[in-house]
Amino acid sequence: MSTPLTIALPKGRLYDRVQRHFETKGIYFKFEHRKLVAYDKEENLKIYLVKNSDLPTYVAHGIAGMGICGEDVILESGHHFHKLLPFSFGGTSLSLAGLKDFSLDKLNGPLTIATSYTEMTRQYFHDQGIPVKIIKLNGSVELAPVLGLAPCIVDLVETGSTLKANNLEVFQKLHDIKVHLIANPAYYKIHFKAINKFIEQIRED
């Protein structure tokens, strides 16, 4: 048996989408109760189940040679990866939002933004030449405008239902976020033949 390729998958909804997609390509795997390491049926893949925000760290340190995650996670990590294959599923957008009665035209100074995506937000507004003050939050950013912490937030928006429930609306879309297969550059250099074969197997029709 050849050495299996290693890949990290994120916990949560994206994991379910990836598992379903892999099954359509003949790759079957299942994590036993509470276990976080599994092999596919053919033992061509060794799969690690990790927290989404930790996935780039595992790939950057070579624990997993590959991973599947969104561009938001890649960019916020600050690590460099090869982006080998985009997927049509799991996409979303990073957007600026705030209370419905707030107007960007009324600003007299830097725009205060609460977000979990500090690097992407800082870079976007820097490129636009718009001064901003960024407050980092780790979750429930929709509360920031409601409680008066910041007039605006930058967050991932899929359906917009959470924004609507909190009387918020999207002012501007900053980035489209796609899900990618990524690889540690050194790992890809060593295993490129096997990885390219794997890419052809999981490529969407």
Side-chain angles (χ1 to χ4, degrees):
M1 184 185 77
S2 60
T3 303
L5 295 173
T6 55
I7 185 168
L9 300 182
K11 295 178 180 178
R13 284 181 295 178
L14 183 55
Y15 167 78
D16 295 332
R17 302 290 298 272
V18 171
Q19 187 182 38
R20 286 200 297 271
H21 175 67
F22 275 23
E23 286 181 356
T24 67
K25 301 299 180 180
I27 300 173
Y28 299 93
F29 61 92
K30 181 180 179 182
F31 287 92
E32 295 180 16
H33 183 60
R34 292 189 177 275
K35 288 193 174 182
L36 301 173
V37 180
Y39 289 86
D40 72 307
K41 191 176 179 181
E42 305 298 328
E43 297 194 3
N44 292 322
L45 288 176
K46 187 176 185 180
I47 305 163
Y48 306 112
L49 188 60
V50 302
K51 187 176 179 180
N52 191 34
S53 58
D54 292 336
L55 190 149
T57 301
Y58 282 101
V59 178
H61 287 269
I63 306 301
M66 302 180 292
I68 294 179
C69 62
E71 287 174 308
D72 54 317
V73 179
I74 299 170
L75 292 170
E76 286 297 316
S77 75
H79 295 297
H80 172 69
F81 303 108
H82 288 326
K83 291 199 292 187
L84 301 176
L85 183 68
F87 295 101
S88 63
F89 56 80
T92 182
S93 64
L94 189 73
S95 297
L96 177 71
L99 291 171
K100 290 182 177 179
D101 58 358
F102 178 78
S103 173
L104 293 171
D105 297 333
K106 296 177 181 177
L107 284 176
N108 292 319
L111 174 62
T112 301
I113 299 171
T115 183
S116 304
Y117 303 94
T118 56
E119 295 304 317
M120 295 177 72
T121 301
R122 184 177 292 108
Q123 187 61 53
Y124 176 85
F125 285 100
H126 174 76
D127 292 344
Q128 301 297 314
I130 299 173
V132 293
K133 176 184 176 184
I134 296 175
I135 300 174
K136 180 173 174 58
L137 292 176
N138 293 314
S140 301
V141 292
E142 296 86 357
L143 276 175
V146 176
L147 301 181
L149 179 64
C152 293
I153 62 172
V154 166
D155 201 11
L156 297 180
V157 177
E158 294 186 53
T159 64
S161 57
T162 304
L163 294 178
K164 187 176 180 181
N166 288 284
N167 198 33
L168 305 176
E169 66 179 7
V170 171
F171 298 142
Q172 189 177 346
K173 183 165 73 173
L174 278 56
H175 293 285
D176 287 317
I177 303 295
K178 283 183 175 283
V179 170
H180 287 263
L181 171 70
I182 62 172
N184 177 300
Y187 187 83
Y188 180 72
K189 188 174 182 179
I190 295 170
H191 300 283
F192 71 95
K193 285 186 178 178
I195 292 175
N196 287 346
K197 183 178 178 182
F198 173 63
I199 291 171
E200 289 308 311
Q201 183 178 4
I202 65 171
R203 189 184 297 278
E204 292 176 290
D205 299 328

